[in-house]
């Protein structure tokens, strides 16, 4: 946690945040008592309103105050409930004199709660083999059900599941690298990063998942055998742990998803300047990546390069927009759900249009965050979205994610594989009506987000 006197300038505060690599700073008075908090979102607001001149203001003039706090003696459940109820991303932990002791972020708190709920006490970070990792995976449905019962939003539960998948992928990467050393392959021949793609990268995973991962490195073609073996061992470990191989072969063991930074530059160039349907599928997976192991700076260099390259192609952006506009078909002419064999693909008709619209606009606006909600929030801050539309975006995603999660838990209980397909008839009338509203609202929200432009 970072603190500063409320009298310091934003220029000084932002510099300290950058040096400490944190997303917030707590303003305090001369006695060290908590007064407020300044976050990256506040910085975007100031810059969009006042430009660079806004950095001459003080923390006291610009930070959010009073700031939400929680006692160091409080239980985790209290902090979780407070953050969920107030929609907070940061919660300051204070002593009895209101002096800041630490900071809880949404991701960190949910991660703690997730580990606590795992019955066997296994953790992804310390798993020593695929069987121990599988024990973590086996408990995910129970964890999701527990969180749902405690009133945690489906969006936050999806974030918890994604964190578990990221941690497992990181641990599998670490084990794979160590096994290469043990078997005489030597250390990595160059800097590299393992990336988790798709919903795992966005932090939006539910209980129907497979592997989506890749590797970026700054080595030479002669180094590929080492990275190929790393990808092979990584993918095999995850498969044994209960995260299945990707049907589309989007995995680090495949040469298409294992490249040097320069090779990725050429690949992305081909995607955005020679657009086709397959390209859109690759972009749906790739542009949401998060590094989970290795050199994060290299991964961020790849992100910056890919986003800049994509934003340069007006045709690519138009193609993405047309693709989003064509995502429809959940509600029929008479207001009924359009199902196949009694099921509706809620991911295809409910989540993907919003995810894709947010991604397309994020690329256009050079927004680097990968989470869908975070992208919507950034678009709202930049003036693209009205606050009412942002609220509906979040509500629609919550409705769709919740019914998907409830359906998956019901299916798993009946030993039916979890999927993105829901049976609308299993939900009560109120839920069905809310779901219909959500699907209808998606049609307008897509265009509010500018997919037709």
């Amino acid at each position: 946690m970072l603190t500063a006197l409320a009298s310091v300038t934003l220029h000084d505060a932002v510099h300290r945040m950058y040096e400490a690599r944190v997303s917030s700073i707590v303003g305090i008075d001369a006695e060290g008592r908590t007064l407020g908090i300044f976050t990256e979102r506040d910085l975007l607001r100031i810059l969009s309103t006042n430009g660079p001149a806004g950095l001459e203001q003080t923390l006291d003039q610009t930070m959010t105050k009073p700031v939400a706090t929680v006692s160091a003696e409080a239980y985790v459940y209290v902090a979780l409930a407070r953050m969920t109820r107030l929609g907070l991303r940061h919660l300051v932990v204070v002593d009895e004199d209101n002096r800041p002791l630490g900071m809880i972020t949404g991701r960190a708190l949910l991660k703690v709660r997730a580990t606590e709920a795992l019955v066997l006490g296994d953790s992804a970070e310390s798993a020593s083999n695929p069987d121990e990792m599988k024990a973590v995976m086996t408990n995910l449905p129970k964890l999701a059900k527990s969180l749902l019962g405690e009133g945690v939003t489906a969006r936050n539960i999806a974030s918890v599941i994604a964190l578990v998948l990221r941690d497992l992928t990181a641990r599998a990467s670490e084990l794979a690298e160590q096994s290469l050393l043990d078997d005489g392959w030597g250390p990595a021949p160059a800097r590299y990063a393992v990336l988790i793609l798709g919903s795992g990268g966005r932090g939006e995973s539910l209980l129907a998942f497979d592997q989506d991962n890749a590797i970026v490195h700054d080595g030479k073609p002669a180094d590929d055998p080492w990275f190929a073996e790393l990808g092979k061992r990584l993918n095999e470990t995850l498969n044994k742990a209960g995260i299945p191989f990707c049907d589309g072969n989007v995995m680090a063991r495949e040469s298409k998803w294992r490249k040097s930074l320069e090779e990725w530059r050429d690949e992305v160039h081909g995607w955005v300047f020679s657009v086709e349907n397959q390209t859109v599928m690759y972009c749906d997976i790739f542009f949401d990546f998060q590094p989970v192991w290795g050199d994060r700076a290299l991964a961020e260099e790849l992100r910056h390069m890919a986003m800049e390259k994509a934003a340069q192609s007006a045709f690519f952006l138009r193609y993405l927009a047309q693709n989003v506009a064509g995502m429809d078909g959940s509600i029929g002419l008479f207001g009924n759900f359009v199902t196949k064999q009694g099921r509706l693909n809620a991911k295809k008709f409910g989540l993907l249009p919003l995810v894709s619209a947010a991604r397309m606009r994020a690329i256009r606006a050079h927004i680097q965050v990968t989470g869908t909600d975070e992208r919507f929030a950034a678009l709202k801050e930049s003036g693209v979205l009205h606050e009412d539309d942002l609220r509906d975006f979040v509500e629609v995603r919550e409705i769709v994610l919740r019914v998907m999660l409830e359906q998956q838990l019901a299916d798993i209980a009946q030993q039916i594989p979890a999927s993105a397909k829901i049976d609308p008839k299993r939900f009560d009338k109120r839920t069905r009506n809310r779901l219909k509203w959500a699907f209808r609202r998606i049609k307008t929200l897509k265009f509010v987000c500018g997919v037709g432009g």
Side-chain angles (χ1 to χ4, degrees):
M1 181 194 64
L2 193 63
T3 63
L5 289 173
S7 58
V8 305
T9 65
L10 288 190
H11 186 276
D12 185 24
V14 171
H15 179 71
R16 295 188 197 183
M17 290 167 64
Y18 175 78
E19 290 295 322
R21 296 181 181 274
V22 296
S23 60
S24 63
I25 187 169
V26 176
I28 57 175
D29 63 15
E31 284 71 43
R33 294 186 294 257
T34 305
L35 294 178
I37 186 171
F38 185 86
T39 70
E40 289 176 334
R41 285 189 174 185
D42 294 319
L43 176 60
L44 290 174
R45 172 175 54 81
I46 295 298
L47 291 176
S48 65
T49 303
N50 302 318
L55 296 178
E56 299 304 318
Q57 300 178 77
T58 66
L59 271 181
D60 190 52
Q61 293 173 306
T62 54
M63 65 186 176
T64 300
K65 54 185 178 180
V67 62
T69 62
V70 65
S71 167
E73 305 301 318
Y75 287 102
V76 168
Y77 302 102
V78 174
L80 177 61
R82 186 164 301 172
M83 294 184 75
T84 301
R85 176 172 56 84
L86 299 177
L88 300 175
R89 303 175 73 187
H90 302 84
L91 190 63
V92 181
V93 180
V94 296
D95 64 15
E96 58 185 14
D97 295 320
N98 201 37
R99 293 185 175 90
L101 299 175
M103 177 77 70
I104 299 175
T105 64
R107 287 184 180 275
L109 183 59
L110 288 170
K111 192 173 183 179
V112 169
R113 180 61 187 88
T115 304
E116 176 185 315
L118 294 174
V119 176
L120 298 180
D122 291 307
S123 73
E125 295 88 347
S126 61
S128 61
N129 56 58
D131 287 339
E132 292 183 7
M133 297 170 72
K134 193 167 187 176
V136 177
M137 293 298 299
T138 300
N139 278 280
L140 271 181
K142 187 172 183 178
L143 166 61
K145 184 177 180 180
S146 172
L147 291 173
L148 201 60
E150 292 175 11
V152 179
T153 66
R155 290 164 29 246
N156 281 343
I157 295 172
S159 180
V160 168
I161 295 172
L163 282 171
V164 173
L165 295 177
R166 289 182 189 181
D167 286 345
L168 287 171
T169 303
R171 182 57 176 159
S173 301
E174 183 179 12
L175 292 174
E177 182 176 330
Q178 183 59 51
S179 71
L180 283 172
L181 276 172
D182 295 341
D183 292 344
W185 285 75
R191 291 190 306 152
Y192 78 96
V194 175
L195 316 174
I196 189 168
L197 315 178
S199 61
R202 293 192 302 275
E204 301 166 0
S205 302
L206 291 180
L207 297 172
F209 42 71
D210 59 8
Q211 295 186 46
D212 288 316
N213 46 61
I215 289 175
V216 57
H217 62 82
D218 65 357
K220 301 175 182 178
D223 298 325
D224 185 65
W226 192 95
F227 292 112
E229 186 64 21
L230 178 76
K232 175 185 175 183
R233 297 188 185 199
L234 162 65
N235 295 147
E236 288 177 349
T237 298
L238 290 175
N239 184 61
K240 292 176 182 177
I243 307 176
F245 291 129
C246 174
D247 289 338
N249 288 320
V250 181
M251 294 178 289
R253 70 181 185 183
E254 304 294 330
S255 60
K256 186 172 185 63
W257 298 100
R258 184 185 68 250
K259 299 178 184 294
S260 69
L261 186 62
E262 288 304 312
E263 289 171 335
W264 275 119
R265 189 187 311 275
D266 293 341
E267 184 76 11
V268 173
H269 182 90
W271 288 351
V272 303
F273 289 101
S274 301
V275 188
E276 54 187 28
N277 288 335
Q278 189 73 14
T279 296
V280 174
M281 187 198 77
Y282 291 155
C283 293
D284 284 346
I285 298 170
F286 177 79
F287 277 92
D288 299 339
F289 76 76
Q290 283 294 329
V292 295
W293 181 255
D295 193 308
R296 290 181 175 272
L298 182 64
E300 292 309 319
E301 190 175 350
L302 171 62
R303 186 192 313 284
H304 180 77
M305 176 276 295
M307 295 289 282
E308 289 299 312
K309 183 74 70 174
Q312 292 170 6
S313 175
F315 177 69
F316 173 68
L317 292 173
R318 285 197 301 271
Y319 197 97
L320 290 185
Q322 291 168 2
N323 183 63
V324 176
M327 294 179 178
D328 203 358
S330 57
I331 303 295
L333 291 175
F334 301 102
N336 297 318
F337 293 109
V338 177
T339 62
K340 290 185 178 180
Q341 298 179 329
R343 295 252 178 163
L344 169 67
N345 192 325
K347 180 178 181 179
K348 179 179 179 180
F349 298 119
L351 293 184
L352 286 184
L354 299 185
V355 168
S356 300
R359 180 190 304 111
M360 183 273 297
R361 288 310 302 251
I363 292 173
R364 180 180 291 176
H366 303 267
I367 293 171
Q368 300 290 319
V369 294
T370 58
T372 302
D373 286 350
E374 288 80 4
R375 282 169 169 167
F376 286 148
L379 290 170
K380 184 261 181 184
E381 291 294 330
S382 65
V384 174
L385 284 181
H386 188 275
E387 186 171 348
D388 291 344
D389 293 322
L390 173 60
R391 181 200 63 224
D392 283 358
F393 265 122
V394 174
E395 184 174 356
V396 166
R397 278 198 356 105
E398 175 64 23
I399 292 170
V400 177
L401 281 169
R402 188 177 184 88
V403 296
M404 286 179 64
L405 181 58
E406 291 180 354
Q407 180 72 67
Q408 289 176 356
L409 288 171
D411 287 345
I412 290 170
Q414 298 179 34
Q415 297 186 329
I416 299 173
S419 74
K421 298 177 180 179
I422 64 169
D423 175 8
K425 293 181 180 179
R426 77 169 300 274
F427 298 99
D428 59 36
K429 184 176 181 181
R430 179 178 178 276
T431 302
R432 290 197 304 272
N433 287 337
R434 291 190 73 211
L435 192 58
K436 287 181 180 179
W437 170 83
F439 283 128
R440 292 191 186 100
R441 187 70 175 103
I442 287 170
K443 293 182 179 180
T444 56
L445 285 173
K446 288 189 302 182
F447 292 94
V448 164
C449 203
V451 299

